[in-house]
Amino acid sequence: MTDGFDLGIIVRSVPFLWDGLQLTFLLTAIAVAGGLVGGTLLALCRLSSFAPLSFAAGAYVNFFRSMPLILVIFWFYFLVPLVVGRPVGGFYSVLIAFTMFEAAYYCEIVRAGIQSVRKGQIYAGQALGLTYRQNMLYVVLPQALRNMVPILLTQGIILFQDTSLVYVVGLHDFLVSADIVANRDNRLIEMYATVAAVYFVLCLLGSLGVRKLQRKYAL
Amino acid sequence: MIEIQNASKWYSAFRVLNDCTTRVAKGEVVVICGPSGSGKSTLIKCVNGLERIQRGSITVNGVSVGAPDTDLPKLRAGIGMVFQNFELFPHITVVQNINLGQIKVLGRSKDEATDRALALLRRVGLHEQADKYPAQLSGGQQQRVAIARALAMDPVAMLFDEPTSALDPEMINEVLDVMVGLAQDGMTMMVVTHEMGFAKKVANRIVFMDEGQIVEDTTKDEFFGTRRGERAQLFLSKILSH
């Protein structure tokens, strides 16, 4: 930190940072999608009247929710190769860890969403002759998802920020890429300020986008 | 068509239905009335298995509602139901509401279902609202759509659970008119309502319930004549006085 704020280093490292940011996006997108699907299935299990199923889903959720994410990432990094029998690389182990971890949180969000749908709506679907599965698919879940939009977004943003934890297994996400440049060229302030600004802008855009969606699909 | 034999139901220790027995013959319109909390809505929900009875039996078209091997979705598909709070699906349009059961349950094609939906909407006077969402309609319009949705399944009988209780007074008649039309077309109907004008006009029989029991089960003429019992008399004087 010898001279003033150097914008040039930021501009010069854009391609390198972009590679990192792409990994961050990819991780977030897959973990949100996988977590949402897994969480929905878990929520259906938790709400099931078949006791062993609802107990197992409850145990899964409580277990993952009492673990720090970084520990789960570590674990899967060492555990998955053992289970699969060959090294899978940091990316896939992290992906599995995030998806399974997020599924626990999404489960609780989806469960609350399903319970927010009025009993009368379920009756109406049943009265038409819809099966349980059809009633969930066409009547309950579409309404539940709409009710859940704000909290799903919040969880998505938290996840977006949490992906920075992949540094522990040596993946080059956005933060790690910036960190590499910062240390290589001794430009800590420039790079960390850039990272903060990019995270801020992206999260803000995400919030605004979803607010718009929410107005469009409000019930 | 609908046979209810000694039906009883408890919510833990509270007995909501107490040994109810009645029947609705094909083409008959039966009105169920009684004070709130008397078990009318529970009884009608038991007919298509939305609620379960713990003792007794209910059969619809010879099929036992409570039997473990009964295909409940299939049974329900043949019985139309209209709810107090309409219960249109708010996330899809009017025509999609009417199509959902036709396509997913009856296996009709989308075009076939839409033709039927539009014909029914015309019958209830709402064909111009087909592509609106339920929230864009008035309560009376929503309830008429709900009736069309039930009719689209070509039901053998229709159940109405206080269909006008959530409506503003000026909208009650538009819904009752549709129901009177249905009754005159020979639809088998079981109607929980306080609308005694409707009962006088089209009901064949009146069932009066109180505290989970069927207290009176008589023809319309007997009910509105002089032979009704003390409790029904008291109830009628309360709801007819204003």
Side-chain angles (χ1 to χ4, degrees), chain A residues 81-97:
Chain A
L82 284 181
V83 174
V84 184
R86 60 186 173 83
V88 293
F91 179 74
Y92 287 104
S93 76
V94 156
L95 208 55
I96 296 170

Side-chain angles (χ1 to χ4, degrees), chain A residues 118 120-121 123-131 134 138-139 142-143 146 219, chain B residues 45 48 50-51 73 76-77 79 83 87-91 100 104-105 149 153:
Chain A
R118 287 204 329 274
Q121 288 283 304
Y123 277 155
Q126 288 177 329
L128 279 178
L130 297 179
T131 61
Q134 289 173 325
Y138 305 120
V139 176
Q143 296 185 55
R146 281 171 174 77
L219 293 178
Chain B
K45 284 198 182 80
N48 64 352
L50 294 180
E51 301 266 4
R76 287 171 181 147
I79 310 171
F83 299 87
E87 304 299 353
L88 294 180
F89 306 129
H91 58 294
L100 183 64
K104 302 298 175 190
V105 179
R149 178 174 70 178
M153 304 297 287

Side-chain angles (χ1 to χ4, degrees), chain B residues 156-192:
Chain B
V156 295
M158 288 280 288
L159 309 174
F160 292 83
D161 185 7
E162 304 209 31
T164 57
S165 300
L167 293 175
D168 291 334
E170 74 269 23
M171 293 173 183
I172 289 177
N173 279 328
E174 63 188 66
V175 172
L176 289 180
D177 287 346
V178 171
M179 291 169 59
V180 167
L182 267 183
Q184 286 166 348
D185 286 351
M187 176 61 78
T188 306
M189 292 164 70
M190 194 165 169
V191 185
V192 173

